[in-house]
Amino acid sequence: LKVLSRIDSILRSPRAPPLIFRPSKGPVQNSIKESGQGCGFEHLPLTIEMWADQLMALKDLHRSLRKVFLELLPWNTADPQDKRESIRVEDLQLTVDAILEELENKEKTSQTPSLQTLSAMVSHFQKLFDVNSLNGVYPRMNEVYIKLGEMTNAMRNLQELLELDGSAPPTVVVDTVGKLCDIINKNVTEQVQQLLGTQDIHSIINKLEEHECFFPPFQALIQDLLCLLEISNVDDILPAVQNLK
């Protein structure tokens, strides 16, 4: 009876789970209390067996958490819980808190590139811009930066000169410049045709060929006259010839 009273006082406390006490119903309850053979804990052995199974499961859970812990924190091998005969929920909670803390730290530092990533970026830059050594990376970076600035300024100036929108892609700028060149070349051709008095390209070629045939002998004649008359200016040839009369 003293043992049952002790169990009754413990299990009726506010800290005890409601699962472990189920009062008996009917006249059987009064007869059991009078005989001192029961206090409403007939189901208690089954509950204790369930608790025992849960305590064993805590050990298995601890081993699983320990494996996860060692995967995330391989440098931390200390585990004082291993020396204890029984595993407490508090021990498991500490392990879970350590794992969560490590995961939070990894999320914070995940944006910082690793040494392997940085090495791959440098190698990719060397391949793109034909840099043979690490010492040449910084000079080539400066060179690329300067060239990019020059090209950007040139493209901006062309956009302004051609009255294009600042967001116009380079292809539009090139096409506009090409059209402008075509217009200029067309105007030059028309001016040459007007100058030579012909609208036929073949006639222009013939006149140029006639010029090539005539000009060299004429130039040689003029040079000879300059030498004979001992003058240096073409405009002085006619006055010098007139003085010879």
Side-chain angles (χ1 to χ4, degrees):
L1 291 177
K2 290 182 179 181
V3 174
L4 293 177
S5 298
R6 178 62 177 169
I7 293 175
D8 183 59
S9 61
I10 293 175
L11 299 183
R12 288 176 183 272
S13 66
R15 296 180 58 188
L19 173 67
I20 60 177
F21 179 73
R22 295 176 184 174
S24 300
K25 298 180 180 180
V28 179
Q29 179 183 8
N30 295 331
S31 63
I32 293 176
K33 286 185 177 180
E34 290 175 358
S35 63
Q37 294 179 357
C39 296
F41 306 118
E42 295 85 356
H43 68 290
L44 190 56
L46 296 177
T47 303
I48 294 176
E49 289 178 2
M50 180 189 68
W51 286 356
D53 294 337
Q54 293 297 316
L55 290 175
M56 293 299 296
L58 283 179
K59 293 182 179 181
D60 296 335
L61 178 59
H62 175 261
R63 281 192 293 269
S64 300
L65 287 176
R66 181 62 182 167
K67 291 180 181 179
V68 176
F69 182 83
L70 291 177
E71 286 289 334
L72 294 175
L73 293 85
W75 57 87
N76 192 345
T77 57
D79 190 8
Q81 288 84 12
D82 286 344
K83 299 180 180 179
R84 296 178 179 174
E85 295 182 358
S86 60
I87 302 298
R88 301 178 305 175
V89 175
E90 292 84 350
D91 300 333
L92 301 180
Q93 187 63 49
L94 289 175
T95 304
V96 172
D97 291 342
I99 293 173
L100 292 176
E101 183 178 358
E102 179 63 18
L103 291 176
E104 290 177 357
N105 293 333
K106 282 191 174 182
E107 289 179 357
K108 292 179 180 178
T109 59
S110 60
Q111 297 181 351
T112 303
S114 63
L115 182 61
Q116 183 178 2
T117 302
L118 294 176
S119 177
M121 292 171 64
V122 173
S123 299
H124 187 61
F125 180 88
Q126 289 181 267
K127 184 182 298 183
L128 287 178
F129 298 99
D130 194 22
V131 182
N132 297 325
S133 64
L134 290 177
N135 294 332
V137 170
Y138 280 111
R140 186 56 59 86
M141 281 185 176
N142 295 332
E143 182 181 351
V144 170
Y145 178 77
I146 293 173
K147 293 295 183 182
L148 178 61
E150 292 176 353
M151 293 179 62
T152 302
N153 292 333
M155 188 63 63
R156 187 183 299 113
N157 293 333
L158 286 174
Q159 290 171 344
E160 293 177 357
L161 290 173
L162 299 173
E163 297 181 354
L164 296 175
D165 186 75
S167 60
T171 54
V172 175
V173 176
V174 173
D175 292 340
T176 305
V177 172
K179 293 177 181 178
L180 183 60
C181 290
D182 292 339
I183 294 173
I184 294 175
N185 292 333
K186 183 178 180 180
N187 291 337
V188 170
T189 302
E190 291 177 353
Q191 292 175 3
V192 171
Q193 290 174 349
Q194 293 176 2
L195 178 64
L196 298 178
T198 178
Q199 302 296 323
D200 186 5
I201 188 65
H202 295 291
S203 299
I204 295 175
I205 294 174
N206 293 333
K207 288 183 176 293
L208 290 175
E209 289 177 350
E210 292 175 358
H211 176 269
E212 290 180 355
C213 293
F214 168 77
F215 185 76
F218 177 77
Q219 185 180 17
L221 176 61
I222 295 299
Q223 292 295 332
D224 292 341
L225 286 174
L226 291 175
C227 292
L228 291 172
L229 298 174
E230 297 180 354
I231 58 178
S232 59
N233 194 347
V234 176
D235 294 335
D236 296 333
I237 293 177
L238 184 59
V241 172
Q242 289 177 349
N243 292 332
L244 293 176
K245 290 181 178 181

